[in-house]
């Protein structure tokens, strides 16, 4: 029997619908949640991501402002654009689309964002709150999307063996901490580029999360039968059979869905849920701001 496939798009829409009540409540108080996105340069993938975020804002009734800066913008000017949004009371959420051009210190830019408006959840203050188990911060959207998918699947996480492949500051590391936190109570292994015997580690995982960025790196033979597999990876590969000549695949081999108990697809899994969590963070920031 194949795995149950989580429909991240449908789940994301359900979450967005749940936000509409809260948005109505705010609008009765003459507050419209407002997300400002800064995009630097003309990286096509970044433009697609930003457009998807703008569309989600339209769907749920969040105002959005997009600030386009040239790829040769200097760090000082980028930071002053952030500071201007920090002091704009009508803006509740600020996001600076990555990647930023070479020569710009991404951490310095993130640190310039007022933490209460940091809807990406990448500011050290918000990441630090996760470590402290303090739920008052804004949680990064992809880790939050994964936790929401696990909650939705009704899986008991307590005592389960979770393996997170990837230790990035925006996905793998915060997600590992959330999984190990009181309440989630999983026993977490963080695997990364220097990990040895990765396949054996994966085979022990009741919950396997791949956040690497390498097409189908996790082989079906690594999957523990009946386990839960969350594929965060988004990789574009060549495919001559498509009119576009490319298609998206995850970090997990397609055949894993024959072995796992629950699995997320790519596309249509963690991606749309990540955008829903961004909407959720923006509404939360607006509620807290008023
Ligand atoms: P990253 O490049 O910052 O981190 C990749 C991690 O993978 C690193 O920690 C590295 O140690 C680990 N790694 C690299 N090679 C490895 C190997 N051979 N074995 C084990 N670990 C290895 O990437 P990221 O920003 O965390 O993103 C990871 C993937 O998730 C990418 O495909 C990205 O596009 C995708 N992503 C998806 C969403 C979404 O909304 N679905 C959001 C963010 C990132």
């Amino acid at each position: 029997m194949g795995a149950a496939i989580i429909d991240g798009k449908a789940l994301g829409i359900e979450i967005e619908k749940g936000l509409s009540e809260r948005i109505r409540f705010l609008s009765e108080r003459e507050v419209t949640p407002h997300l400002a996105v800064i995009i630097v340069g003309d990286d096509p993938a970044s433009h697609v991501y930003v457009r998807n975020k703008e569309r989600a804002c339209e769907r749920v009734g969040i105002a959005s402002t997009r600030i386009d800066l040239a790829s040769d913008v200097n760090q000082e000017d980028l930071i002053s654009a952030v500071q201007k949004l920090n002091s704009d009371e009508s803006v509740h959420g600020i996001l600076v689309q990555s990647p930023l051009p070479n020569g710009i210190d991404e951490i310095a830019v993130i640190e310039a964002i007022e933490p209460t408006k940091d809807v990406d959840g990448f500011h050290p203050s918000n990441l630090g709150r996760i470590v402290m188990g303090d739920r008052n911060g804004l949680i990064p959207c992809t880790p939050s999307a994964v936790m929401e998918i696990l909650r939705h699947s009704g899986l008991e996480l307590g005592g389960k063996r979770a393996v997170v492949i990837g230790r990035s500051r925006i996905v793998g590391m915060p997600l590992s901490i959330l999984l190990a936190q009181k309440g989630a109570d999983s026993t977490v292994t963080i695997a990364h580029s220097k990990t040895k015997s990765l396949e054996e580690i994966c085979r022990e995982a009741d919950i396997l999360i791949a956040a690497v960025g390498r097409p189908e790196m996790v082989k079906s033979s690594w999957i523990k039968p009946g386990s839960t597999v969350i594929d965060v990876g988004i990789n574009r590969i060549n495919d001559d059979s498509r009119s576009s000549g490319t298609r998206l695949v995850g970090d997990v081999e397609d055949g894993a869905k024959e072995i796992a108990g629950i699995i997320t697809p790519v596309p249509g899994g963690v991606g749309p849920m990540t955008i829903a969590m961004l909407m959720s963070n923006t509404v939360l920031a607006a509620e807290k701001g008023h």
Side-chain angles (χ1 to χ4, degrees):
M1 209 179 76
I5 297 176
I6 302 271
D7 185 345
K9 205 170 169 188
L11 188 53
I13 286 174
E14 215 176 280
I15 285 174
E16 288 176 7
K17 279 190 186 145
L19 294 175
S20 57
E21 183 83 355
R22 289 161 61 188
I23 293 173
R24 206 170 319 123
F25 185 83
L26 284 166
S27 77
E28 283 162 9
R29 280 145 192 83
E30 289 173 0
V31 176
T32 304
H34 182 182
L35 173 68
V37 179
I38 299 180
I39 179 161
V40 181
D42 41 25
D43 173 53
S46 296
H47 278 262
V48 171
Y49 290 140
V50 169
R51 249 195 320 276
N52 287 342
K53 289 166 190 176
E54 286 173 325
R55 283 198 194 114
C57 285
E58 267 172 45
R59 271 199 307 274
V60 300
I62 291 177
S64 71
T65 299
R66 170 200 176 117
I67 294 148
D68 275 276
L69 299 176
S71 55
D72 60 356
V73 69
N74 65 41
Q75 188 167 313
E76 210 175 287
D77 289 345
L78 176 52
I79 287 180
S80 36
V82 168
Q83 284 164 341
K84 211 166 143 202
L85 295 170
N86 283 343
S87 50
D88 182 340
E89 281 187 14
S90 80
V91 170
H92 306 103
I94 303 169
L95 180 158
V96 181
Q97 183 65 42
S98 70
L100 292 174
N102 290 339
I104 292 190
D105 177 355
E106 197 159 326
I107 305 273
V109 174
I110 290 165
E111 279 180 346
I113 300 173
E114 159 59 40
T116 56
K117 296 189 178 189
D118 166 42
V119 284
D120 253 344
F122 298 159
H123 190 283
S125 153
N126 284 314
L127 288 174
R129 282 178 196 272
I130 295 180
V131 178
M132 293 165 76
D134 173 349
R135 287 162 202 267
N136 289 314
L138 290 161
I139 297 175
C141 303
T142 303
S144 174
V146 173
M147 294 307 289
E148 195 57 42
I149 288 171
L150 292 173
R151 234 188 318 272
H152 170 82
S153 66
L155 200 75
E156 171 57 50
L157 301 180
K160 291 277 163 59
R161 183 82 191 263
V163 172
V164 179
I165 319 177
R167 58 179 165 189
S168 72
R169 119 191 104 74
I170 63 170
V171 187
M173 196 56 86
L175 177 57
S176 303
I177 297 166
L178 289 170
L179 284 162
Q181 244 171 18
K182 268 195 183 148
D185 300 320
S186 298
T187 302
V188 181
T189 300
I190 307 174
H192 46 75
S193 53
K194 300 284 190 293
T195 295
K196 294 200 169 74
S197 313
L198 181 59
E199 22 176 318
E200 280 153 45
I201 293 169
C202 289
R203 277 199 197 103
E204 289 182 4
D206 302 310
I207 301 159
L208 178 64
I209 292 150
V212 184
R214 285 174 165 237
E216 301 189 302
M217 182 197 98
V218 176
K219 304 300 170 205
S220 311
S221 59
W222 302 7
I223 308 295
K224 179 175 172 177
S227 62
T228 297
V229 177
I230 309 284
D231 192 350
V232 179
I234 302 177
N235 309 290
R236 192 168 286 283
I237 61 164
N238 293 330
D239 183 348
D240 294 337
S241 70
R242 303 279 176 108
S243 57
S244 63
T246 63
R247 76 186 155 97
L248 292 182
V249 297
D251 287 346
V252 180
E253 208 175 44
D254 193 48
K257 64 174 187 277
E258 305 304 330
I259 299 159
I262 298 173
I263 197 164
T264 59
V266 177
V270 177
M273 276 296 287
T274 294
I275 293 191
M277 300 325 285
L278 174 66
M279 299 300 108
S280 174
N281 272 353
T282 306
V283 172
L284 187 63
E287 288 169 341
K288 289 194 170 182
H290 294 270

